Amino acid sequence: RSSAQSLLRFLGFVFLGTAAAQALGGVLVILMFKNYSYLFQESYLSLPGWLAIAAALILLPTGVMASSTSIKSSRCQQGTLMYLLLLLLCLEVSSAVLASVYSLRTASQLESTMGYLIYQHNVSCSQDPGSRAVDVMQRKLQCCGVHNYTDWLKATTTSWHLPAHVPESCCKEKYSRCRGHLSHLEQLSQEGCLKKLEDQLHFVMLYVFWCCTVLSILELLAGVSNGILMRHQPFYDFLIL
């Protein structure tokens, strides 16, 4: 029983310390899909992030309760802790599964979506949502085209009249006079946007997945420890009867 109590207290402090890491993962996921909302139009894709934030908020009272639980604690406190651990386990597992599934699903759709936006890019209309989304993406990621700048040479829509140019959003930040001329390739970002965005998406989703997976295992250990204390804890609250 003393070992179970010590482990439970230790895990309580771990929960308090990892709540911030859990919340950070949720925020990264939400910002990822918000910043590139035109590429990820399904609103439910940010669900793993919201679940991770909800779990982080519940981790705080759970950590406090776990670190203060003792052998003589009331059945009410131990029971409440068990319910919180069960709720956390459901949130963590759901977030981990969704992060894994959505990561694979969105990665397979990115190439076709980005290719379509580049094909439909309208250089003469900066207010077009699709064109603006492409320009924002290329500036943020410092990239050009889907795989590289040559993807712009394949854009044959009627709105694209400058085959010797790429959008100015392909220019590197340090070249203020860059106008996207292919005759000055050193002024253009050479990497494509697809790989950079996929790497960013993979990192964020993998972070949430492993964070939730590790915390799920720790919550199972905390549940077992709390169960051991509950098993040896008589019903002190009802002795008056």
Side-chain angles (χ1 to χ4, degrees), residues 88-159:
L88 276 174
L89 185 62
C90 293
L91 289 173
E92 302 285 6
V93 172
S94 299
S95 183
V97 171
L98 290 177
S100 178
V101 172
Y102 288 172
S103 178
L104 296 175
R105 181 175 179 179
T106 52
S108 63
Q109 297 175 348
L110 267 180
E111 184 172 4
S112 59
T113 303
M114 292 172 63
Y116 174 78
L117 290 176
I118 287 178
Y119 184 84
Q120 295 294 330
H121 189 278
N122 191 337
V123 70
S124 62
C125 183
S126 60
Q127 297 303 315
D128 178 68
S131 301
R132 188 168 62 250
V134 171
D135 290 333
V136 169
M137 174 184 65
Q138 292 190 145
R139 287 194 179 96
K140 280 187 176 181
L141 299 178
Q142 285 294 286
C143 58
C144 188
V146 180
H147 301 286
N148 51 55
Y149 69 93
T150 59
D151 292 316
W152 287 105
L153 304 180
K154 305 171 187 176
T156 57
T157 58
T158 55
S159 62

Side-chain angles (χ1 to χ4, degrees), residues 151-206:
D151 292 316
W152 287 105
L153 304 180
K154 305 171 187 176
T156 57
T157 58
T158 55
S159 62
W160 192 257
H161 303 291
L162 301 171
H165 292 68
V166 295
E168 292 184 14
S169 56
C170 285
C171 296
K172 297 178 180 178
E173 291 181 347
K174 61 181 179 179
Y175 295 106
S176 58
R177 296 184 178 181
C178 174
R179 294 297 178 265
H181 293 276
L182 293 180
S183 57
H184 301 285
L185 288 179
E186 72 281 357
Q187 298 180 358
L188 304 177
S189 300
Q190 300 297 314
E191 292 185 74
C193 297
L194 179 62
K195 186 179 184 304
K196 284 195 170 185
L197 195 56
E198 281 182 342
D199 290 344
Q200 195 174 104
L201 175 67
H202 182 69
F203 170 78
V204 170
M205 289 300 195
L206 197 65

Side-chain angles (χ1 to χ4, degrees), residues 1-49:
R1 285 185 293 176
S2 60
S3 299
Q5 179 184 355
S6 300
L7 178 60
L8 189 59
R9 286 186 174 179
F10 171 74
L11 291 175
F13 290 115
V14 172
F15 292 156
L16 291 174
T18 54
Q22 178 87 352
L24 175 62
V27 170
L28 289 177
V29 171
I30 294 172
L31 290 179
M32 175 76 183
F33 291 109
K34 182 180 179 181
N35 292 335
Y36 306 104
S37 58
Y38 208 84
L39 294 172
F40 308 105
Q41 296 185 2
E42 296 88 351
S43 58
Y44 61 82
L45 291 176
S46 60
L47 184 57

Side-chain angles (χ1 to χ4, degrees), residues 1-17 62-73 77 81 218 221-223 225-226 229:
R1 285 185 293 176
S2 60
S3 299
Q5 179 184 355
S6 300
L7 178 60
L8 189 59
R9 286 186 174 179
F10 171 74
L11 291 175
F13 290 115
V14 172
F15 292 156
L16 291 174
T62 304
V64 172
M65 190 169 291
S67 58
S68 62
T69 297
S70 64
I71 299 176
K72 298 296 183 179
S73 296
Q77 180 178 348
L81 176 60
L218 296 179
L221 291 175
S225 301
N226 190 45
L229 296 181

